[in-house]
Amino acid sequence: MQLPRWWELGDPCAWTGQGRGTRRMSPATTGTFLLTVYTIFSKVHSDRNVYPSAGVLFVHVLEREYFKGEFPPYPKPGEISNDPITFNTNLMGYPDRPGWLRYIQRTPYSDGVLYGSPTAENVGKPTIIEITAYNRRTFETARHNLIINIMSAEDFPLPYQAEFFIKNMNVEEMLASEVLGDFLGAVKNVWQPERLNAINITSALDRGGRVPLPINDMKEGVYVMVGADVPFSSCLREVENPQNQLRCSQEMEPVITCDKKFRTQFYIDWCKISLVDKTKQVSTYQEVIRGEGILPDGGEYKPPSDSLKSRDYYTDFLITLAVPSAVALVLFLILAYIMCCRREGVIQLVHHSAIQKSTKELRDMSKNREIAWPLSTLPVFHPVTGEIIPPLHTDSYESTNMPLMQTQQNLQHQTQIPQQQTTGKY
């Protein structure tokens, strides 16, 4: 397995392939600007020791080609197999990785990459990472351990740090040694430092970025932080002038003279560049001034002794239950008196019964009394002669069958109204 060359821009800095483990810089490159650690699994040992430096980008490649030989049936020499393989990485004894270590594998047919920037708190503490490979075709597994021994770095941290946002790269593309080397070479030409280290790489998705649409070969974007030992160059500080700040506020690209040195391969969003000068950072620690809201120092906490007197809660229990129970009982009695003893419905029922009784009595009385004759049956005067016309009924006439109004044919002495005679035919 041939290791990729680190630098191809003619710089005297070069990586040597001493062994198949962690790459180290040759002695001829003393005072170089890059301390990024790249490691690849060895085919000889299952467990591997690596020695990254705190505050320097650490990258470890999990090659599928190595793990293919771990799954039966074992391929013969020259035989090509392309089984899908995925990896699971975790800190030994824990379900996840350390906070500073990230892992990415885009597809089961690409290599996995562990990357991150070790912190100074983990210096001298070996970190064992369990790496489990899964063959998605045969469901076979293989497990190896990666022992990370974090070493302290000189001049850590570097006093001047700059973070760039590259829009046309994904994180796994930026982690490739050749691509990262080209970017650091462009930064070196602009910054001109004596020491330049890649500190960290972060995907834009980890910073709250949106997943790009799968059109026009759009990328997620990646943040790359580098550190140097000399102040920022005038080109890098151009983004801080008022004109460029105004253009950034209007979502326009600022005018940067050194952008052409990156534009051939990297599209940098200069509005998102971050320049940190740790030599000018003021400590945020403030002395606590005691005042309102801050209790005086009472010394060490003294817990109560074991010889505490027992307390009788029987009286408290009775009071707690008796008072609410008495109030509830009084309310219940008042409600029962209102509902049972002072019901308005009983009075209404008595009144209704009296009305029904009176109605029945009236109906019985109406059956026995004589019915008065209607006015139409009384004697009336003839409208023409003025004679009194006797009533149309006799005493023996049954009043119940007598109609109230008589027809004109039945009336005696009824005046006939002459009708106009018409001649001719219709």
Side-chain angles (χ1 to χ4, degrees):
M1 180 173 55
Q2 184 178 2
L3 299 178
R5 289 179 297 170
W6 171 253
W7 202 249
E8 296 181 357
L9 296 180
D11 195 273
C13 173
W15 289 72
T16 58
Q18 298 178 359
R20 290 176 170 250
T22 304
R23 306 179 187 178
R24 300 180 180 178
M25 302 184 68
S26 61
T29 59
T30 305
T32 54
F33 59 87
L34 188 60
L35 294 176
T36 304
V37 179
Y38 273 80
T39 62
I40 298 179
F41 254 133
S42 173
K43 292 187 178 181
V44 180
H45 302 287
S46 297
D47 296 345
R48 183 64 182 170
N49 285 272
V50 294
Y51 299 90
S53 299
V56 180
L57 179 63
F58 166 75
V59 180
H60 183 84
V61 182
L62 307 179
E63 288 194 336
R64 294 174 60 254
E65 294 296 332
Y66 165 71
F67 286 96
K68 287 180 181 178
E70 297 288 328
F71 303 117
Y74 302 101
K76 298 179 181 179
E79 184 179 355
I80 299 176
S81 62
N82 193 25
D83 293 343
I85 299 176
T86 58
F87 302 95
N88 182 40
T89 59
N90 63 279
L91 183 64
M92 179 174 287
Y94 295 89
D96 204 354
R97 298 173 298 276
W100 61 269
L101 188 62
R102 298 186 180 94
Y103 167 75
I104 186 172
Q105 184 184 15
R106 187 67 64 176
T107 65
Y109 297 94
S110 60
D111 296 337
V113 181
L114 285 169
Y115 66 100
S117 180
T119 58
E121 291 79 6
N122 298 322
V123 172
K125 302 177 182 179
T127 303
I128 302 177
I129 303 298
E130 294 180 342
I131 302 174
T132 306
Y134 297 90
N135 189 321
R136 294 302 178 180
R137 184 181 65 86
T138 62
F139 301 100
E140 296 287 341
T141 61
R143 175 170 293 180
H144 299 276
N145 293 334
L146 177 66
I147 304 175
I148 303 177
N149 302 280
I150 302 175
M151 310 297 292
S152 60
E154 298 179 358
D155 298 335
F156 172 80
L158 292 174
Y160 303 96
Q161 298 179 2
E163 187 178 55
F164 300 85
F165 177 63
I166 305 175
K167 298 185 291 185
N168 64 327
M169 287 287 176
N170 290 333
V171 63
E172 70 276 6
E173 298 173 347
M174 198 66 198
L175 289 172
S177 58
E178 296 84 356
V179 177
L180 184 59
D182 293 343
F183 176 75
L184 292 177
V187 174
K188 179 186 178 183
N189 294 334
V190 172
W191 201 338
Q192 296 296 329
E194 295 182 2
R195 298 186 59 219
L196 182 68
N197 294 345
I199 298 177
N200 200 2
I201 291 180
T202 307
S203 173
L205 300 183
D206 297 333
R207 297 283 188 90
R210 300 178 62 181
V211 178
L213 297 175
I215 56 176
N216 299 330
D217 196 22
M218 298 182 65
K219 304 294 184 178
E220 298 172 356
V222 60
Y223 291 89
V224 181
M225 178 175 286
V226 298
D229 55 349
V230 296
F232 304 108
S233 62
S234 58
C235 174
L236 296 180
R237 290 194 175 276
E238 288 180 0
V239 72
E240 297 179 348
N241 61 52
Q243 292 81 7
N244 286 331
Q245 290 294 326
L246 179 61
R247 294 178 66 89
C248 288
S249 63
Q250 298 175 352
E251 298 184 357
M252 301 174 60
E253 293 187 1
V255 179
I256 306 297
T257 56
C258 57
D259 180 60
K260 58 183 179 181
K261 296 184 180 180
F262 297 90
R263 184 65 64 174
T264 56
Q265 189 176 359
F266 307 100
Y267 293 161
I268 297 179
D269 189 347
W270 292 99
C271 292
K272 294 184 178 181
I273 189 174
S274 175
L275 304 178
V276 180
D277 187 357
K278 292 186 174 295
T279 60
K280 297 181 179 180
Q281 288 185 351
V282 180
S283 177
T284 58
Y285 174 78
Q286 296 181 357
E287 184 180 358
V288 178
I289 301 175
R290 299 188 181 277
E292 296 182 359
I294 301 179
L295 298 177
D297 187 7
E300 297 182 358
Y301 172 70
K302 296 180 180 180
S305 60
D306 298 336
S307 60
L308 293 177
K309 296 181 180 180
S310 61
R311 182 178 176 182
D312 186 11
Y313 293 95
Y314 181 73
T315 305
D316 298 338
F317 175 75
L318 291 179
I319 295 175
T320 304
L321 293 181
V323 174
S325 300
V327 174
L329 181 60
V330 171
L331 295 177
F332 175 76
L333 294 176
I334 294 174
L335 182 62
Y337 173 75
I338 294 174
M339 296 296 295
C340 300
C341 301
R342 297 186 61 85
R343 292 183 59 183
E344 295 181 0
V346 176
I347 301 175
Q348 292 178 356
L349 289 175
V350 173
H351 183 62
H352 181 68
S353 177
I355 294 175
Q356 284 185 337
K357 185 177 180 181
S358 301
T359 304
K360 184 177 180 182
E361 292 177 355
L362 291 175
R363 288 178 179 176
D364 294 339
M365 294 173 62
S366 64
K367 292 180 180 179
N368 300 326
R369 70 179 182 178
E370 296 182 357
I371 302 175
W373 295 101
L375 296 178
S376 61
T377 61
L378 296 178
V380 295
F381 293 94
H382 194 274
V384 177
T385 62
E387 298 178 356
I388 297 176
I389 300 175
L392 299 178
H393 64 86
T394 60
D395 295 338
S396 63
Y397 187 77
E398 188 178 357
S399 61
T400 57
N401 297 328
M402 182 183 63
L404 296 178
M405 298 294 295
Q406 298 292 338
T407 61
Q408 294 180 358
Q409 290 78 5
N410 296 333
L411 291 177
Q412 299 178 5
H413 310 288
Q414 183 178 3
T415 303
Q416 298 293 332
I417 300 175
Q419 297 181 357
Q420 183 179 1
Q421 298 295 329
T422 59
T423 61
K425 297 181 180 180
Y426 291 100

